[in-house]
Each structure stands twice: as C-alpha cells, then as structure tokens.
Amino acid sequence: MGAALVSGLVAEGWTDIVVVEQSPERRSTLGAKWPAAAVTLSSEPPAVGAAVIAVKPHDVEAACRQLAASGVTRVLSVAAGVRLTTLRAWIGEGPALLRAMPNTPALVGAGASGLAPGVGSSPEDLDWGRRVLEAVGLVEVVDESHLDAVTGLSGSGPAYLFLVAEALVDAGVLNGLSRPVARRLAVQTILGAGRMLAESGELPEALRAAVTSPGGTTAAGLRTLEARAVRSALIEAVTASAERSAGLGGAPGG
C-alpha cells in the first residue's frame, strides 16, 4: 500500500518524497520504480514535516518511535487495526494524527479510503491527508468509530467482487462458454456495471430495475439470487469483516 501511495503521489506531481525502507534489497527494488528526482530512499527517517506510516501492524510501534525522534508534525497511518489512541501512546503528543483504511484497488489508482482525523487535527492536517489518499482514489472522511465499517465494506469488498467474478466465469463455462471468453465477459460486465454506478448518478436499485424486464431472463436470475439469500449473505459478510476489524483493533498493542 505504501508503494501504491508513492506511485500515486509521483503521478500527481508531488516531489521531495522520502521512502524509509530498512531492507537494502527492498530499497533497490523500489529505487527502480520512481524517478530519483521525486523520491529519495533512506534506511532511517529524516527530519520531515509530514509522514505516512504504511507498515505491518507489528512494525508500527517502532515506526512511531522513530518518527517521534525526527520531529515530524503530522502523521497519517494506513496500518490496519492500530487505533489513534495507540498511535498517540507510541508517538507522543507532538504531531497531529490521522488514520485511514484504503483498499487494494489503490494499486491501480481506483482505491476507496476512509479517513479519520485524530483529536486536535486541524483542517489543514485533514486536507493534507485527503490529498495524499486522493492520489490513489476516492476518499470519505469518517469518524474513527466507523473505520471498522469501512474495512468491512470497501476494505474487504474487492474480495467479495472477485468471488462474484469467479462464480460468473464458472457459470459461463457451465453453460457452454470457453473459460477465456467467460472471463473476459465477466470482467467487462463488472467493469461496465461499476462505471454505470459511478457515472450515471442513478441509485443501484434504479439501475437494477432498468435491466429487469417483467418475466424476463434477468428477473428469473434475480429470483434465484434472492431465494438463495445472496443479499443477506453479502450484508452478513460485511458485518463479519467489520466485527473482525473491531476485534483486531481492541487487541493488545493495537
């Protein structure tokens, strides 16, 4: 996720970006991705005004303590499950804190992120965090208490849609299509439906109704989905993911 954010920021024209990576091998790999004029690779945090924490949860404490020593003034964390109170305990009272939950489509510039400001964050701090995340997609500002719901919906949501894609491909094959043809049709169907949702301004239920002729093929398919409680299963999946996220956030150390 950190690499996705840096790539997005570089594409947006940001400069003077420092990427801190302790592994020499990883630094070498990352160095091939970005222009040297825009990105500097380092093994230790330099004195910086703002920083993004994009490490595994078990590495967040060390990153916070290093940043505290650097004199950073604002910090955005995209580390899963580590709450603002925990970040504050590790980084001290100095910097403004924000926490975000992006999702994997950020890797292709089509992410969806929830952004939660910490107590005492200024409008300028929030604007900075929003601009960082907007480099890789859409941003919604929410209270931290809603980030678990964001995790269940948009954080885990791509996996649900990938599962739908798998099922559509298998169904196409079952009904006589070759797998490559079924895959291309399924992918384009999901892409096209997503664009219609994003660009038409219509509600999902209105778009669904427009496709569904009385007594037609889509009506028959939807009847089967409703009979199998697919809608309820998706709601329960998002809820289960949100509850799991809440549980992780309440664990010792974040």
Side-chain angles (χ1 to χ4, degrees):
M1 188 57 65
L5 285 170
V6 174
S7 293
L9 292 170
V10 170
E12 290 289 314
W14 289 52
T15 57
D16 298 326
I17 299 170
V18 179
V19 174
V20 179
E21 171 56 60
Q22 295 184 346
S23 165
E25 294 79 9
R26 180 64 174 158
R27 285 201 305 273
S28 177
T29 300
L30 294 175
K33 291 176 65 72
W34 306 305
V39 180
T40 301
L41 294 165
S42 174
S43 60
E44 298 292 336
V48 291
V52 177
I53 296 176
V55 298
K56 297 296 184 182
H58 61 267
D59 292 325
V60 176
E61 181 176 2
C64 283
R65 299 198 185 283
Q66 286 184 319
L67 284 172
S70 76
V72 68
T73 58
R74 57 169 62 123
V75 174
L76 167 64
S77 172
V78 298
V82 184
R83 304 220 183 275
L84 287 165
T85 53
T86 304
L87 294 169
R88 178 61 71 196
W90 288 339
I91 207 166
E93 295 300 321
L97 291 178
L98 304 100
R99 180 183 165 211
M101 180 63 205
N103 65 1
T104 54
L107 294 167
V108 294
S113 302
L115 172 63
V119 175
S121 297
S122 69
E124 292 76 17
D125 297 323
L126 184 59
D127 179 65
W128 168 77
R130 185 198 296 272
R131 288 188 293 113
V132 169
L133 295 167
E134 284 178 342
V136 292
L138 175 143
V139 181
E140 292 289 344
V141 177
V142 299
D143 187 82
E144 187 185 22
S145 64
H146 292 150
L147 281 183
D148 293 323
V150 171
T151 299
L153 177 58
S154 58
S156 299
Y160 311 149
L161 293 177
F162 297 148
L163 181 62
V164 169
E166 287 183 67
L168 289 174
V169 173
D170 289 343
V173 173
L174 178 65
N175 285 275
L177 297 175
S178 71
R179 188 162 292 275
V181 168
R183 181 184 179 279
R184 288 193 293 271
L185 288 173
V187 170
Q188 186 63 29
T189 297
I190 292 173
L191 176 63
R195 287 191 59 184
M196 288 183 70
L197 276 169
E199 298 173 13
S200 69
E202 296 284 350
L203 294 174
E205 52 267 37
L207 291 172
R208 176 180 52 78
V211 180
T212 310
S213 302
T217 58
T218 304
L222 288 171
R223 179 177 180 275
T224 299
L225 291 175
E226 294 290 7
R228 298 296 178 89
V230 170
R231 184 195 301 263
S232 176
L234 287 170
I235 292 171
E236 291 179 18
V238 171
T239 301
S241 177
E243 291 174 347
R244 176 60 175 159
S245 175
L248 290 174

